[in-house]
Amino acid sequence: MTRIVNVADAQRRARRTLPRALFDYIEGGADDEVTLAENERAFQEVALRPRMGIDVGEPGIATTVLGTPLALPVFLAPCGMAQLAHPDGAVGVARAASAAGTIAVLSKIALCSPEEVARRSPGPNWFQVNSAGGRDEVKHLMARAADAGFTGLVVTMDGPPPGNHERDVRHGMVPPVRLTPRFAARLATQIATRPQWLGAMTVAARRQTATIKDATRVLSSGGLRTSARFTWSDIEWIRNEWPGSLLVKGVLTGADAVAARDAGADAVIVSNHGGRALDGAPSTLSVLPEIVDAVGTSTEVLIDGGIRRAGCVVKALSLGARAVFIGRPWVYGLAAAGQPGVERIIEIFRAEMVRTLKLMGCPDVSALNPNWLQPMRPYQGQLPETAAGSVL
């Protein structure tokens, strides 16, 4: 684990470990991947404003989201096919999150059931649904999650249809996938070049047989492409059916945040699906202030997309987010080393947050506000010159 110093290290290890088609599924975005890149660039264009002459001791990074205490303001976002990244899969992710004092959201297509996650991890756990399968399917999944003790439901709004993932198209991995001999041969070639991944999956052969069967079912289904999108009336219906906390994910405008609140959402997640839905949509950080202003203190606001360092977390919280979600970073950690890899990623964010707040002179995440930020390049005037005419 000492070789994983930051998220980029885990990303490189994941690239070397996973079959190319699986890594591209995790890594890729929609179309030209403009929004994918903008999510990260937006954080780079905001600077932190440190205060000098202040010794904050050990700054506080704990918070509370929807009444649930968190040791740090970082959730683990839902990710489909997580079980294929490493045999530890969604259970390992949930255990890592719980051990760190935070929460992992289980994707409906993580290839691991809510019952298994609840049975094998201490929780608390949250579940994610989308509109595929219609209300009957959503009601069935909500009932299973509630019966398993899940306390939060994340409702994904930005699809169907899914975005145009051209990396997946080139690999033949766009549902409904046809398992032709040519496709099987191409996939087998990729798997053969990743012995570490193949060995890990083979050791857990019994469970992986079920995982591969579930993955085949998901990839061969066209349900996400043909299902109707959620409407605000659907959110009202879900609110009446779901007993726990309700979060609406995929909000990018203030008007939609208000609509989500009025439909019964306890929180909104500012998200463009990690650049995987509508390419050309704005970065999440750029629209965060609008959404915070729109809902005020009536609804908690969270954010995902492009968060690779704790400095990104601090910037998001300064602009009004209650907490953030990370997706690709924990998947890299899972692929690199299973549950310990996910634990390492969370620890990196924790340590970076403490260090960042110390360097800023900020005593607690609750003290963050826009005054801690400025544009990275605010000065546009002429720089002073020396008598010899050279720029200082």
Side-chain angles (χ1 to χ4, degrees):
M1 290 302 97
T2 57
R3 294 185 180 182
I4 300 179
V5 176
N6 55 30
V7 169
D9 288 340
Q11 179 186 30
R12 284 188 288 269
R13 291 176 68 87
R15 186 190 299 273
R16 293 195 301 266
T17 300
L18 296 174
R20 177 65 181 274
L22 183 54
F23 180 81
D24 280 352
Y25 168 78
I26 296 164
E27 184 81 346
D31 296 319
D32 294 319
E33 301 185 345
V34 172
T35 297
L36 174 64
E38 283 297 320
N39 277 344
E40 293 191 47
R41 186 177 297 116
F43 285 100
Q44 296 167 1
E45 292 175 352
V46 177
L48 299 169
R49 290 168 53 88
R51 313 289 200 270
M52 298 300 117
I54 303 172
D55 180 9
V56 299
E58 190 70 10
I61 63 170
T63 190
T64 301
V65 175
L66 299 179
T68 300
L70 300 177
L72 74 168
V74 179
F75 290 93
L76 306 191
C79 177
M81 307 291 194
Q83 204 72 29
L84 293 179
H86 189 278
D88 287 355
V91 169
V93 176
R95 286 175 169 174
S98 180
T102 186
I103 298 173
V105 182
L106 177 67
S107 167
K108 64 175 284 187
I109 58 167
L111 311 182
C112 183
S113 71
E115 292 85 359
E116 183 176 2
V117 169
R119 185 171 62 252
R120 300 177 59 202
S121 66
N125 296 303
W126 289 0
F127 190 64
Q128 174 267 344
V129 294
N130 57 33
S131 65
R135 286 193 177 188
D136 288 345
E137 173 71 3
V138 172
K139 185 174 183 177
H140 172 68
L141 290 172
M142 286 194 297
R144 288 178 59 187
D147 289 346
F150 282 62
T151 56
L153 184 72
V154 174
V155 180
T156 298
M157 296 287 288
D158 53 356
N164 178 35
H165 306 155
E166 294 181 356
R167 299 197 200 195
D168 296 345
V169 171
R170 294 188 179 95
H171 291 296
M173 295 287 286
V174 177
V177 172
R178 292 178 173 82
L179 300 178
T180 64
R182 181 179 180 182
F183 171 81
R186 182 169 55 196
L187 191 59
T189 299
Q190 292 187 15
I191 292 173
T193 62
R194 296 295 187 267
Q196 180 180 343
W197 178 84
L198 180 59
M201 299 294 278
T202 302
V203 167
R206 179 177 297 179
R207 186 188 306 167
Q208 296 316 315
T209 298
T211 297
I212 298 300
K213 183 178 179 180
D214 285 345
T216 302
R217 174 183 53 80
V218 170
L219 289 171
S220 62
S221 170
L224 188 55
R225 296 184 174 276
T226 58
S227 298
R229 297 180 70 137
F230 278 135
T231 65
W232 297 121
S233 64
D234 290 317
I235 301 303
E236 292 174 356
W237 170 77
I238 290 172
R239 174 69 287 171
N240 290 329
E241 295 285 337
W242 176 253
S245 298
L246 177 61
L247 302 91
V248 169
K249 178 175 180 284
V251 172
L252 290 173
T253 68
D256 279 350
V258 170
R261 177 198 65 193
D262 293 347
D266 299 304
V268 295
I269 304 174
V270 184
S271 174
N272 52 38
H273 215 108
R276 294 173 58 82
L278 174 65
D279 198 29
S283 67
T284 52
L285 189 70
S286 69
V287 299
L288 176 60
E290 173 191 343
I291 291 167
V292 170
D293 288 345
V295 298
T297 58
S298 65
T299 305
E300 294 186 16
V301 178
L302 302 99
I303 185 174
D304 68 17
I307 296 163
R308 301 293 184 268
R309 290 276 188 180
C312 302
V313 182
V314 170
K315 292 170 186 179
L317 268 56
S318 296
L319 290 177
R322 188 74 177 176
V324 309
F325 285 80
I326 58 172
R328 290 179 178 92
W330 73 252
V331 184
Y332 298 148
L334 179 66
Q339 180 180 333
V342 181
E343 293 171 348
R344 177 61 177 162
I345 292 297
I346 300 173
E347 171 57 23
I348 287 170
F349 273 90
R350 188 206 65 78
E352 284 186 355
M353 280 206 70
V354 171
R355 182 170 61 248
T356 299
L357 292 179
K358 284 183 176 181
L359 291 170
M360 289 173 62
C362 180
D364 192 276
V365 290
S366 63
L368 293 170
N369 60 56
N371 292 327
W372 292 95
L373 306 179
Q374 69 178 48
M376 184 61 77
R377 299 173 184 83
Y379 184 72
Q380 301 297 324
Q382 287 288 329
L383 291 174
E385 296 185 352
T386 64
S390 61
V391 177
L392 290 174

